[in-house]
Amino acid sequence: MTHSVAELPQGAYDAVLDTAGVDVSRALADGGSYISVSDAPLPDAPGAAKSYVQESGKDLTELVGLVDAGRLKVRVAAHYPLSEVRAAHERFEAGGLSGKVVLLF
């Protein structure tokens, strides 16, 4: 399904997560949150912010410790060996999962 920015309902969404660098701020409701992971400039939306994920061995070690201690629960819907990455991606795209798809290295 293809949409254009002009087709988006104006002011209809309480939150927008921009992953493509396309200004869709017209769809944001008053007081809503606009977060972008794109390197494109932020739109002129009140409170618009960027959010980046940075790799950190220290943080990953801390997360593993929380999982191992049972303090952080990770919902996993399926495991796939790396050799079946295509099947894993197809399962993810099919939707309806109650957890993450995990690739095993």
Side-chain angles (χ1 to χ4, degrees):
M1 180 182 290
T2 303
H3 295 285
S4 71
V5 173
E7 292 175 305
L8 290 171
Q10 190 164 351
Y13 300 101
D14 293 326
V16 169
L17 175 59
D18 169 24
T19 62
V22 177
D23 183 353
V24 293
S25 59
R26 69 181 303 278
L28 190 63
D30 288 342
S33 298
Y34 192 103
I35 305 296
S36 178
V37 298
S38 170
D39 286 330
L42 285 170
D44 187 22
K50 287 189 182 262
S51 177
Y52 291 103
V53 174
Q54 287 195 292
E55 299 156 355
S56 165
K58 177 183 167 279
D59 291 345
L60 184 56
T61 299
E62 183 178 340
L63 287 174
V64 168
L66 292 171
V67 171
D68 288 347
R71 295 180 53 211
L72 177 63
K73 304 290 185 195
V74 180
R75 295 179 80 170
V76 176
H79 295 89
Y80 289 87
L82 186 58
S83 62
E84 295 180 25
V85 67
R86 173 180 236 142
H89 195 279
E90 289 170 350
R91 178 64 186 101
F92 171 77
E93 284 192 351
L97 298 173
S98 62
K100 301 293 184 184
V101 173
V102 176
L103 288 176
L104 303 171
F105 288 81

mmCIF file of all heavy atoms in Angstrom, residues 7-35:
data_model
loop_
_atom_site.group_PDB
_atom_site.id
_atom_site.type_symbol
_atom_site.label_atom_id
_atom_site.label_comp_id
_atom_site.label_asym_id
_atom_site.label_seq_id
_atom_site.Cartn_x
_atom_site.Cartn_y
_atom_site.Cartn_z
ATOM 1 N N GLU A 7 -1.913 12.555 1.699
ATOM 2 C CA GLU A 7 -3.047 11.694 2.041
ATOM 3 C C GLU A 7 -3.204 11.472 3.544
ATOM 4 O O GLU A 7 -4.243 10.995 3.991
ATOM 5 C CB GLU A 7 -2.890 10.324 1.372
ATOM 6 C CG GLU A 7 -3.022 10.347 -0.134
ATOM 7 C CD GLU A 7 -2.746 8.979 -0.727
ATOM 8 O OE1 GLU A 7 -1.664 8.411 -0.457
ATOM 9 O OE2 GLU A 7 -3.617 8.501 -1.464
ATOM 10 N N LEU A 8 -2.194 11.799 4.317
ATOM 11 C CA LEU A 8 -2.265 11.582 5.759
ATOM 12 C C LEU A 8 -3.278 12.529 6.382
ATOM 13 O O LEU A 8 -3.330 13.711 6.033
ATOM 14 C CB LEU A 8 -0.899 11.811 6.406
ATOM 15 C CG LEU A 8 0.161 10.773 6.100
ATOM 16 C CD1 LEU A 8 1.516 11.233 6.631
ATOM 17 C CD2 LEU A 8 -0.208 9.435 6.694
ATOM 18 N N PRO A 9 -4.088 12.026 7.317
ATOM 19 C CA PRO A 9 -5.062 12.905 7.970
ATOM 20 C C PRO A 9 -4.342 13.931 8.851
ATOM 21 O O PRO A 9 -3.466 13.574 9.625
ATOM 22 C CB PRO A 9 -5.912 11.946 8.801
ATOM 23 C CG PRO A 9 -5.070 10.733 8.980
ATOM 24 C CD PRO A 9 -4.158 10.661 7.787
ATOM 25 N N GLN A 10 -4.698 15.173 8.699
ATOM 26 C CA GLN A 10 -4.051 16.241 9.451
ATOM 27 C C GLN A 10 -4.424 16.178 10.928
ATOM 28 O O GLN A 10 -5.593 16.057 11.277
ATOM 29 C CB GLN A 10 -4.443 17.596 8.879
ATOM 30 C CG GLN A 10 -3.623 18.726 9.442
ATOM 31 C CD GLN A 10 -3.729 19.988 8.615
ATOM 32 O OE1 GLN A 10 -4.289 19.991 7.521
ATOM 33 N NE2 GLN A 10 -3.178 21.065 9.118
ATOM 34 N N GLY A 11 -3.398 16.241 11.791
ATOM 35 C CA GLY A 11 -3.614 16.280 13.235
ATOM 36 C C GLY A 11 -4.226 15.022 13.827
ATOM 37 O O GLY A 11 -4.842 15.072 14.874
ATOM 38 N N ALA A 12 -4.042 13.873 13.194
ATOM 39 C CA ALA A 12 -4.734 12.654 13.618
ATOM 40 C C ALA A 12 -3.943 11.780 14.592
ATOM 41 O O ALA A 12 -4.525 10.931 15.249
ATOM 42 C CB ALA A 12 -5.096 11.827 12.395
ATOM 43 N N TYR A 13 -2.653 11.982 14.708
ATOM 44 C CA TYR A 13 -1.833 11.048 15.484
ATOM 45 C C TYR A 13 -1.194 11.715 16.695
ATOM 46 O O TYR A 13 -0.657 12.810 16.599
ATOM 47 C CB TYR A 13 -0.752 10.422 14.601
ATOM 48 C CG TYR A 13 -1.342 9.663 13.443
ATOM 49 C CD1 TYR A 13 -1.387 10.220 12.167
ATOM 50 C CD2 TYR A 13 -1.895 8.410 13.628
ATOM 51 C CE1 TYR A 13 -1.947 9.524 11.107
ATOM 52 C CE2 TYR A 13 -2.461 7.710 12.573
ATOM 53 C CZ TYR A 13 -2.481 8.276 11.317
ATOM 54 O OH TYR A 13 -3.044 7.596 10.275
ATOM 55 N N ASP A 14 -1.233 11.010 17.825
ATOM 56 C CA ASP A 14 -0.613 11.510 19.056
ATOM 57 C C ASP A 14 0.899 11.358 19.027
ATOM 58 O O ASP A 14 1.605 12.038 19.762
ATOM 59 C CB ASP A 14 -1.160 10.771 20.278
ATOM 60 C CG ASP A 14 -2.626 11.081 20.512
ATOM 61 O OD1 ASP A 14 -3.050 12.223 20.236
ATOM 62 O OD2 ASP A 14 -3.353 10.181 20.967
ATOM 63 N N ALA A 15 1.384 10.455 18.194
ATOM 64 C CA ALA A 15 2.822 10.230 18.098
ATOM 65 C C ALA A 15 3.192 9.840 16.679
ATOM 66 O O ALA A 15 2.434 9.137 16.003
ATOM 67 C CB ALA A 15 3.256 9.132 19.061
ATOM 68 N N VAL A 16 4.347 10.311 16.249
ATOM 69 C CA VAL A 16 4.882 9.966 14.932
ATOM 70 C C VAL A 16 6.322 9.528 15.130
ATOM 71 O O VAL A 16 7.100 10.216 15.792
ATOM 72 C CB VAL A 16 4.840 11.169 13.957
ATOM 73 C CG1 VAL A 16 5.640 10.883 12.705
ATOM 74 C CG2 VAL A 16 3.412 11.535 13.609
ATOM 75 N N LEU A 17 6.679 8.358 14.590
ATOM 76 C CA LEU A 17 8.054 7.885 14.577
ATOM 77 C C LEU A 17 8.516 7.909 13.135
ATOM 78 O O LEU A 17 8.080 7.095 12.315
ATOM 79 C CB LEU A 17 8.180 6.474 15.159
ATOM 80 C CG LEU A 17 9.570 5.852 15.066
ATOM 81 C CD1 LEU A 17 10.605 6.700 15.799
ATOM 82 C CD2 LEU A 17 9.557 4.433 15.590
ATOM 83 N N ASP A 18 9.370 8.855 12.817
ATOM 84 C CA ASP A 18 9.878 9.029 11.453
ATOM 85 C C ASP A 18 11.135 8.191 11.277
ATOM 86 O O ASP A 18 12.143 8.442 11.917
ATOM 87 C CB ASP A 18 10.176 10.508 11.212
ATOM 88 C CG ASP A 18 10.954 10.759 9.939
ATOM 89 O OD1 ASP A 18 10.893 9.921 9.012
ATOM 90 O OD2 ASP A 18 11.640 11.797 9.863
ATOM 91 N N THR A 19 11.056 7.189 10.416
ATOM 92 C CA THR A 19 12.216 6.343 10.153
ATOM 93 C C THR A 19 12.774 6.549 8.753
ATOM 94 O O THR A 19 13.724 5.890 8.367
ATOM 95 C CB THR A 19 11.855 4.856 10.327
ATOM 96 O OG1 THR A 19 10.840 4.516 9.383
ATOM 97 C CG2 THR A 19 11.391 4.564 11.743
ATOM 98 N N ALA A 20 12.191 7.486 7.993
ATOM 99 C CA ALA A 20 12.595 7.660 6.602
ATOM 100 C C ALA A 20 13.053 9.071 6.273
ATOM 101 O O ALA A 20 13.480 9.334 5.158
ATOM 102 C CB ALA A 20 11.430 7.284 5.684
ATOM 103 N N GLY A 21 12.953 10.006 7.198
ATOM 104 C CA GLY A 21 13.353 11.375 6.912
ATOM 105 C C GLY A 21 12.344 12.129 6.081
ATOM 106 O O GLY A 21 12.685 13.059 5.361
ATOM 107 N N VAL A 22 11.076 11.720 6.170
ATOM 108 C CA VAL A 22 9.995 12.385 5.438
ATOM 109 C C VAL A 22 9.183 13.192 6.454
ATOM 110 O O VAL A 22 8.742 12.651 7.463
ATOM 111 C CB VAL A 22 9.084 11.353 4.738
ATOM 112 C CG1 VAL A 22 7.932 12.040 4.052
ATOM 113 C CG2 VAL A 22 9.904 10.526 3.754
ATOM 114 N N ASP A 23 9.014 14.466 6.193
ATOM 115 C CA ASP A 23 8.291 15.332 7.117
ATOM 116 C C ASP A 23 6.798 15.026 7.052
ATOM 117 O O ASP A 23 6.107 15.393 6.112
ATOM 118 C CB ASP A 23 8.542 16.800 6.780
ATOM 119 C CG ASP A 23 7.866 17.761 7.742
ATOM 120 O OD1 ASP A 23 7.084 17.315 8.606
ATOM 121 O OD2 ASP A 23 8.120 18.966 7.617
ATOM 122 N N VAL A 24 6.311 14.322 8.060
ATOM 123 C CA VAL A 24 4.884 14.004 8.161
ATOM 124 C C VAL A 24 4.271 14.691 9.379
ATOM 125 O O VAL A 24 3.273 14.246 9.922
ATOM 126 C CB VAL A 24 4.636 12.476 8.205
ATOM 127 C CG1 VAL A 24 5.016 11.826 6.883
ATOM 128 C CG2 VAL A 24 5.379 11.839 9.369
ATOM 129 N N SER A 25 4.873 15.813 9.778
ATOM 130 C CA SER A 25 4.419 16.508 10.974
ATOM 131 C C SER A 25 2.995 17.023 10.848
ATOM 132 O O SER A 25 2.325 17.225 11.851
ATOM 133 C CB SER A 25 5.368 17.661 11.324
ATOM 134 O OG SER A 25 5.460 18.588 10.259
ATOM 135 N N ARG A 26 2.477 17.175 9.642
ATOM 136 C CA ARG A 26 1.089 17.632 9.475
ATOM 137 C C ARG A 26 0.104 16.623 10.075
ATOM 138 O O ARG A 26 -0.998 16.960 10.444
ATOM 139 C CB ARG A 26 0.761 17.884 8.004
ATOM 140 C CG ARG A 26 0.697 16.619 7.155
ATOM 141 C CD ARG A 26 0.380 16.863 5.677
ATOM 142 N NE ARG A 26 -0.844 17.567 5.408
ATOM 143 C CZ ARG A 26 -2.053 17.016 5.373
ATOM 144 N NH1 ARG A 26 -2.179 15.722 5.595
ATOM 145 N NH2 ARG A 26 -3.114 17.726 5.108
ATOM 146 N N ALA A 27 0.519 15.366 10.208
ATOM 147 C CA ALA A 27 -0.357 14.334 10.753
ATOM 148 C C ALA A 27 -0.339 14.309 12.284
ATOM 149 O O ALA A 27 -1.143 13.627 12.901
ATOM 150 C CB ALA A 27 0.066 12.961 10.219
ATOM 151 N N LEU A 28 0.554 15.084 12.893
ATOM 152 C CA LEU A 28 0.716 15.091 14.339
ATOM 153 C C LEU A 28 -0.337 15.965 15.014
ATOM 154 O O LEU A 28 -0.552 17.111 14.640
ATOM 155 C CB LEU A 28 2.112 15.613 14.682
ATOM 156 C CG LEU A 28 2.579 15.495 16.116
ATOM 157 C CD1 LEU A 28 2.661 14.036 16.535
ATOM 158 C CD2 LEU A 28 3.935 16.169 16.264
ATOM 159 N N ALA A 29 -0.999 15.400 16.020
ATOM 160 C CA ALA A 29 -2.004 16.143 16.790
ATOM 161 C C ALA A 29 -1.308 17.180 17.668
ATOM 162 O O ALA A 29 -0.138 17.026 18.026
ATOM 163 C CB ALA A 29 -2.817 15.184 17.655
ATOM 164 N N ASP A 30 -2.026 18.224 18.038
ATOM 165 C CA ASP A 30 -1.496 19.223 18.958
ATOM 166 C C ASP A 30 -1.033 18.542 20.235
ATOM 167 O O ASP A 30 -1.740 17.709 20.800
ATOM 168 C CB ASP A 30 -2.554 20.274 19.301
ATOM 169 C CG ASP A 30 -2.837 21.215 18.144
ATOM 170 O OD1 ASP A 30 -2.002 21.288 17.216
ATOM 171 O OD2 ASP A 30 -3.899 21.862 18.168
ATOM 172 N N GLY A 31 0.176 18.871 20.668
ATOM 173 C CA GLY A 31 0.717 18.287 21.881
ATOM 174 C C GLY A 31 1.310 16.907 21.684
ATOM 175 O O GLY A 31 1.766 16.282 22.639
ATOM 176 N N GLY A 32 1.307 16.408 20.441
ATOM 177 C CA GLY A 32 1.840 15.078 20.165
ATOM 178 C C GLY A 32 3.356 15.043 20.157
ATOM 179 O O GLY A 32 4.018 16.075 20.267
ATOM 180 N N SER A 33 3.907 13.852 20.022
ATOM 181 C CA SER A 33 5.353 13.644 20.029
ATOM 182 C C SER A 33 5.835 13.234 18.651
ATOM 183 O O SER A 33 5.270 12.338 18.034
ATOM 184 C CB SER A 33 5.730 12.540 21.022
ATOM 185 O OG SER A 33 5.375 12.909 22.330
ATOM 186 N N TYR A 34 6.886 13.897 18.173
ATOM 187 C CA TYR A 34 7.488 13.600 16.876
ATOM 188 C C TYR A 34 8.925 13.185 17.137
ATOM 189 O O TYR A 34 9.737 13.981 17.600
ATOM 190 C CB TYR A 34 7.457 14.828 15.974
ATOM 191 C CG TYR A 34 7.791 14.539 14.538
ATOM 192 C CD1 TYR A 34 6.791 14.463 13.579
ATOM 193 C CD2 TYR A 34 9.096 14.349 14.112
ATOM 194 C CE1 TYR A 34 7.080 14.203 12.245
ATOM 195 C CE2 TYR A 34 9.400 14.088 12.792
ATOM 196 C CZ TYR A 34 8.382 14.014 11.865
ATOM 197 O OH TYR A 34 8.672 13.762 10.544
ATOM 198 N N ILE A 35 9.242 11.922 16.862
ATOM 199 C CA ILE A 35 10.588 11.389 17.070
ATOM 200 C C ILE A 35 11.107 10.894 15.721
ATOM 201 O O ILE A 35 10.397 10.216 14.988
ATOM 202 C CB ILE A 35 10.587 10.214 18.075
ATOM 203 C CG1 ILE A 35 9.941 10.617 19.394
ATOM 204 C CG2 ILE A 35 12.006 9.687 18.281
ATOM 205 C CD1 ILE A 35 10.651 11.685 20.165
#
